[in-house]
Amino acid sequence: KKEKTEVKNEEIKVDKVDIEWEFLDKRIYKIVDNSGWNFPIHVLNDSTLYFMNNFEDKTRLYKCNYFGKNEELVHDFGKEVENFKYCPSSQKFYYIDSNYLYSLEPSSKKVKMVKSSFEYVYDKYLLNKDIFEQVWSKFGSGFYDPDMHGVDWEKAKKIYGEFTKFAYRPAELSAIVNEMIGDVNASHTGYYPRRDNQAKHIQRAYGGFILDTNDFPKRGIRIKKVFQKSKLTQPYGIEAGDILLEVDGEEVGKGKSIYNTFSNKVGKKINMKFLSGGETKEIAIKGLSYRENYSMYYDNWVEERREKVEKLTDGEIGYLHIRSMNNSSYERFLEDLFAENYDKKALIIDVRNNPGGYIHDRLVEVLTKTSYAKTAPRSAGGRKYKTPGRVWEKPIVLLINENSFSDAEIFPNLFKELHLGKVIGMPTSGSVIGTGQVRFMDGSSMRMPSNGWYSLEDENMEGSGVEPDIYVEPTPKQVIEDYDVQLQRAVEELYKELN
């Protein structure tokens, strides 16, 4: 016979909490207002707030009190890190950087790599089939259009799933997945497989110049262009037309491969010999990465547009180019608008070749802001000034082309709807979807286009590029010779408004 046991519900005693509800909404205040993105990470002892700041592609961990005071930098990561978490038991932060796990002790600010060693065995063929299932499921549930652009997603799985019988390597899996995703005919998509066998990658260095491979002298290679920020320009004085003779002791010229002489030299010293101004110059530069060299090329291209406008208008019309739709480009936009071009009579804004981002609303906010009064400070002798002062109320035109993507299409669309000025160039690509990144268990990843964008008339911006008010299509010859007819037309249209 079992005896009954009586279980009593004991009262849990807690300290009484009194909440003053009246005017609760009035007691909300901003704790942190640093430039860029700020988001909380952990609250320690109801007193210390840890928060992450991302600004100009740099990530930093800070701490402060509940009132945003006594702010202190805990660690500067220099770049974005992943999966940042706080562990109460160890009182440390953990995060992933370049696929390695690290710990950060906030009290000492010490960072250590968390090392682990283990072995496991798996069937790569079965893994590939499983990843196919995961990709199909994630894409089907996350794609912005529930109708999948008219594609029967269940049927797509059956069709392409048959081909996974041959997915022995990540390369085959990638081809199958991308074909399946491609059926929805959408931008901002792509599957990036894992790398089972890391092949040796030979990285080529660059020097901040462009070679003329159509006009070879008897010896060496002629320089076609030197970028303005290249060290070849300053301090060495190398110019277009000068001849490159040797790279690290190897002669270069017609019939000789120059690219091998720059292999595996990124960040390393490169010795070069030039024929410049009738004399031989021996110089040394640091090998640039592709990204560093492209940045120099871009800055050079923008400066050349600015100089063209300056020359065409005798300094009356300004020019600014928005490189990307991110925080750093926004800060540069404000600087160009209110410091470099504020005294101009009109302005050309250029978003050609802009890959997109997320700052369209901030750009529009600046360009639609207007003055509402005047102020006359005694310190200025009673002279009247418009207020607010940082507004642009002069003619603008916007340049777009087929390489304006994503947010660099939303901005021109809004520019037209708000009648801020004429849009000149070629139709944009029609690639407008909000996207993110999805990672899978094997290290592969996929772009996830999860947010659609529509006009106020419900027209899907995806697949519908922005049409310019004035079509200007450069010929191949004009492109090669860098004769910017779109820029020239922009100047002409602004003078029509000014006159």
Side-chain angles (χ1 to χ4, degrees):
K1 185 178 179 179
K2 294 183 180 178
E3 294 183 359
K4 292 183 179 180
T5 304
E6 187 177 347
V7 179
K8 294 182 178 180
N9 293 326
E10 297 182 2
E11 278 190 21
I12 300 175
K13 294 183 178 180
V14 295
D15 294 333
K16 185 179 179 181
V17 177
D18 292 323
I19 299 176
E20 189 175 336
W21 295 102
E22 189 176 8
F23 303 122
L24 180 65
D25 59 319
K26 307 298 182 185
R27 299 196 296 274
I28 297 173
Y29 61 91
K30 186 180 292 186
I31 298 176
V32 176
D33 193 23
N34 296 0
S35 298
W37 298 94
N38 301 286
F39 43 96
I41 295 296
H42 182 68
V43 178
L44 183 65
N45 299 329
D46 289 341
S47 61
T48 303
L49 170 69
Y50 288 97
F51 68 94
M52 197 75 83
N53 170 264
N54 186 275
F55 180 60
E56 294 184 338
D57 298 324
K58 291 186 178 181
T59 302
R60 301 175 178 89
L61 178 67
Y62 289 91
K63 71 175 182 178
C64 64
N65 63 22
Y66 265 8
F67 302 97
K69 305 297 182 183
N70 303 324
E71 184 178 300
E72 180 183 339
L73 176 65
V74 179
H75 190 72
D76 187 344
F77 298 96
K79 57 183 178 179
E80 190 171 353
V81 293
E82 300 176 292
N83 299 340
F84 204 93
K85 303 290 183 183
Y86 180 77
C87 178
S89 60
S90 65
Q91 297 184 350
K92 294 179 182 180
F93 290 99
Y94 292 88
Y95 62 93
I96 294 175
D97 185 0
S98 303
N99 292 324
Y100 290 98
L101 179 64
Y102 291 87
S103 68
L104 167 61
E105 188 175 357
S107 57
S108 64
K109 300 183 180 180
K110 289 183 179 179
V111 173
K112 290 183 180 179
M113 181 185 288
V114 180
K115 297 181 179 180
S116 60
S117 178
F118 55 89
E119 293 183 5
Y120 67 98
V121 179
Y122 62 94
D123 188 313
K124 292 182 180 180
Y125 173 69
L126 294 178
L127 174 62
N128 290 343
K129 291 176 72 69
D130 191 55
I131 294 299
F132 173 84
E133 295 270 351
Q134 292 182 33
V135 173
W136 175 85
S137 176
K138 283 286 186 182
F139 196 87
S141 61
F143 189 63
Y144 84 98
D145 178 14
D147 293 328
M148 304 301 290
H149 281 188
V151 174
D152 186 332
W153 202 236
E154 290 286 346
K155 185 177 179 181
K157 179 184 178 182
K158 292 179 181 178
I159 293 173
Y160 290 99
E162 286 294 312
F163 292 98
T164 58
K165 297 175 183 177
F166 311 102
Y168 295 102
R169 300 179 305 160
E172 284 92 16
L173 175 64
S174 177
I176 295 166
V177 167
N178 280 317
E179 284 290 332
M180 179 176 66
I181 292 174
D183 280 358
V184 302
N185 193 26
S187 66
H188 293 72
T189 61
Y191 172 74
Y192 311 99
R194 70 181 185 276
R195 294 184 180 180
D196 282 346
N197 300 313
Q198 294 285 352
K200 185 178 179 182
H201 179 61
I202 299 176
Q203 194 174 11
R204 194 177 93 201
Y206 297 82
F209 58 85
I210 297 176
L211 297 171
D212 187 349
T213 54
N214 294 319
D215 180 22
F216 282 94
K218 291 183 178 180
R219 182 184 172 208
I221 303 178
R222 200 178 308 278
I223 300 295
K224 186 176 183 179
K225 179 182 289 187
V226 182
F227 302 147
Q228 295 179 10
K229 292 186 178 180
S230 171
K231 285 193 174 181
L232 293 179
T233 302
Q234 292 291 340
Y236 298 115
I238 303 300
E239 300 175 345
D242 291 347
I243 298 173
L244 175 62
L245 301 173
E246 294 180 8
V247 178
D248 283 336
E250 291 188 44
E251 290 187 358
V252 296
K254 190 173 183 179
K256 300 174 182 177
S257 176
I258 187 174
Y259 300 114
N260 291 337
T261 62
F262 282 86
S263 295
N264 287 329
K265 294 181 181 178
V266 173
K268 298 178 182 178
K269 180 180 177 181
I270 301 177
N271 296 298
M272 309 171 76
K273 184 183 288 187
F274 284 90
L275 182 62
S276 174
E279 62 175 315
T280 301
K281 292 183 179 179
E282 294 189 7
I283 65 175
I285 63 170
K286 185 183 77 170
L288 303 174
S289 67
Y290 173 83
R291 187 173 182 178
E292 291 170 329
N293 192 72
Y294 178 79
S295 184
M296 278 190 186
Y297 161 80
Y298 163 80
D299 291 338
N300 197 82
W301 185 86
V302 171
E303 190 57 36
E304 287 176 345
R305 304 312 103 177
R306 186 177 286 114
E307 290 172 357
K308 288 176 188 287
V309 174
E310 182 82 14
K311 186 176 180 180
L312 285 170
T313 68
D314 197 24
E316 291 184 324
I317 294 176
Y319 170 87
L320 69 83
H321 187 275
I322 304 174
R323 181 174 187 174
S324 185
M325 307 298 267
N326 57 17
N327 286 326
S328 57
S329 292
Y330 176 69
E331 296 295 329
R332 181 60 186 268
F333 166 78
L334 294 178
E335 181 182 328
D336 281 346
L337 185 63
F338 295 119
E340 299 295 331
N341 294 297
Y342 199 57
D343 60 338
K344 306 294 185 182
K345 293 182 179 180
L347 179 67
I348 299 169
I349 298 178
D350 192 351
V351 292
R352 293 176 298 176
N353 310 315
N354 184 316
Y358 46 82
I359 63 170
H360 63 270
D361 54 339
R362 284 185 276 174
L363 298 177
V364 169
E365 182 181 3
V366 171
L367 295 176
T368 54
K369 195 174 182 180
T370 59
S371 299
Y372 52 76
K374 291 183 179 180
T375 181
R378 181 60 183 269
S379 59
R383 184 178 176 182
K384 297 182 179 67
Y385 294 92
K386 286 185 176 181
T387 183
R390 293 214 314 175
V391 298
W392 183 271
E393 298 174 311
K394 302 175 219 178
I396 317 172
V397 297
L398 180 66
L399 289 176
I400 61 174
N401 68 1
E402 61 277 13
N403 294 320
S404 301
F405 295 107
S406 197
D407 202 43
E409 299 183 74
I410 296 175
F411 173 58
N413 196 306
L414 298 175
F415 192 92
K416 286 188 68 175
E417 286 194 7
L418 296 168
H419 305 290
L420 297 178
K422 292 177 180 175
V423 178
I424 300 171
M426 293 296 291
T428 62
S429 67
S431 305
V432 188
I433 304 179
T435 187
Q437 199 80 358
V438 175
R439 297 187 182 278
F440 299 102
M441 59 183 290
D442 68 336
S444 61
S445 64
M446 173 184 69
R447 296 190 75 181
M448 187 70 259
S450 55
N451 295 313
W453 281 87
Y454 300 82
S455 69
L456 291 176
E457 291 74 32
D458 287 335
E459 181 183 0
N460 194 344
M461 294 186 190
E462 172 69 7
S464 303
V466 179
E467 300 287 337
D469 298 310
I470 300 173
Y471 282 75
V472 181
E473 182 176 11
T475 65
K477 184 179 179 181
Q478 288 169 339
V479 173
I480 292 171
E481 295 177 353
D482 198 20
Y483 183 69
D484 200 332
V485 287
Q486 295 171 337
L487 190 71
Q488 187 166 315
R489 183 62 181 270
V491 170
E492 293 171 2
E493 292 300 320
L494 282 175
Y495 268 127
K496 289 178 183 179
E497 290 192 51
L498 291 172
N499 297 328

